[in-house]
Amino acid sequence: GAGVSQSPRYKVAKRGQDVALRCDPISGHVSLFWYQQALGQGPEFLTYFQNEAQLDKSGLPSDRFFAERPEGSVSTLKIQRTQQEDSAVYLCASSPGLAMRTDTQYFGPGTRLTVL
Amino acid sequence: AQSVTQLDSQVPVFEEAPVELRCNYSSSVSVYLFWYVQYPNQGLQLLLKYLSGSTLVESINGFEAEFNKSQTSFHLRKPSVHISDTAEYFCAVSRYQGAQKLVFGQGTRLTINP
């Protein structure tokens, strides 16, 4: 009964580097969400997958952000040419259904990204 | 678009005292309402949610929240807090229609003093 896991838990990058953040959802969960949480703020939606299909990427802040979920399970959020404003905690959440409005989202512990 | 305002960034209270964490939302469409809790060094966990029906919803650990449509509020209350309630609390909404992406408030840090 493992929950949502994320790796790495902490990542320090130099400005301009590319980073990849991994999310392992709860097994069998169809829906997967990525959120960005800046210091002192609430999480903000980035993107949503239903199985392997990325159905909503309206929250991605720029074209430097890219997410994928090729086999409908593990997801990777990639940030190219990182900038200081990308420093935040990146949260992954999964839910069992097809983004059913009453499904609970289960959150991982997050990856704290610091860009120097 | 939806937005959520949590009126207090920090709330210090003494143990066994009552507490209210305030949440107001804005939306042009009907929404579902949630409270999530983040304990130190842990991920976000659902505390309670309002979907429909009775406007008063309760959690298993003594918290309750009341949906007030006219005031667009969903305040969280507990009559007597414990040290273990120390955490950050986030109010969130999602639309009735479309994918269940959550819109969060900025959070309220609840600190319990002995």
Side-chain angles (χ1 to χ4, degrees):
Chain A
V4 178
S5 61
Q6 293 184 245
S7 60
R9 291 292 312 277
Y10 303 91
K11 176 69 178 177
V12 178
K14 292 183 179 178
R15 190 161 56 103
Q17 282 185 332
D18 298 348
V19 298
L21 313 179
R22 177 186 169 107
C23 172
D24 285 80
I26 294 173
S27 178
H29 276 196
V30 169
S31 295
L32 186 145
F33 301 80
W34 283 98
Y35 295 85
Q36 179 190 57
Q37 185 175 16
L39 187 64
Q41 301 296 317
E44 292 191 359
F45 170 79
L46 293 176
T47 187
Y48 158 66
F49 290 86
Q50 179 179 300
N51 294 308
E52 69 280 2
Q54 188 175 20
L55 299 187
D56 187 343
K57 53 183 181 179
S58 62
L60 296 177
S62 77
D63 59 7
R64 296 185 296 104
F65 287 71
F66 172 76
E68 61 182 3
R69 193 186 185 198
E71 297 179 358
S73 55
V74 171
S75 177
T76 304
L77 177 66
K78 298 179 179 178
I79 309 173
Q80 298 177 325
R81 305 181 303 280
T82 53
Q83 301 178 7
Q84 285 189 322
E85 60 262 32
D86 300 334
S87 295
V89 176
Y90 290 85
L91 299 171
C92 176
S94 69
S95 66
L98 298 175
M100 292 292 291
R101 295 175 292 277
T102 60
D103 273 356
T104 295
Q105 291 187 28
Y106 296 87
F107 282 80
T111 294
R112 181 178 297 277
L113 172 65
T114 303
V115 181
L116 303 176
Chain B
Q2 294 78 48
S3 66
V4 176
T5 301
Q6 292 183 243
L7 298 167
D8 305 292
S9 59
Q10 296 187 59
V11 173
V13 295
F14 288 106
E15 194 172 15
E16 298 183 5
V19 70
E20 178 181 77
L21 307 184
R22 296 178 292 170
C23 172
N24 286 89
Y25 69 93
S26 173
S27 177
S28 58
V29 299
S30 296
V31 294
Y32 297 112
L33 296 146
F34 307 82
W35 276 98
Y36 278 81
V37 58
Q38 188 170 33
Y39 297 106
N41 300 314
Q42 296 187 28
L44 284 163
Q45 302 173 33
L46 180 67
L47 186 61
L48 47 76
K49 60 185 177 183
Y50 171 76
L51 305 177
S52 64
S54 172
T55 57
L56 184 66
V57 290
E58 299 178 352
S59 72
I60 58 173
N61 57 354
F63 283 94
E64 64 179 30
E66 186 161 18
F67 170 54
N68 188 318
K69 188 173 182 179
S70 62
Q71 297 187 6
T72 59
S73 68
F74 191 54
H75 301 331
L76 182 70
R77 302 184 182 94
K78 189 170 185 179
S80 176
V81 295
H82 303 285
I83 291 286
S84 60
D85 294 323
T86 296
E88 186 135 23
Y89 292 79
F90 293 92
C91 182
V93 302
S94 68
R95 293 172 52 142
Y96 270 18
Q97 302 296 327
Q100 196 200 10
K101 58 185 178 183
L102 295 165
V103 176
F104 286 89
Q106 74 272 29
T108 298
R109 184 171 299 277
L110 178 61
T111 305
I112 313 298
N113 299 306

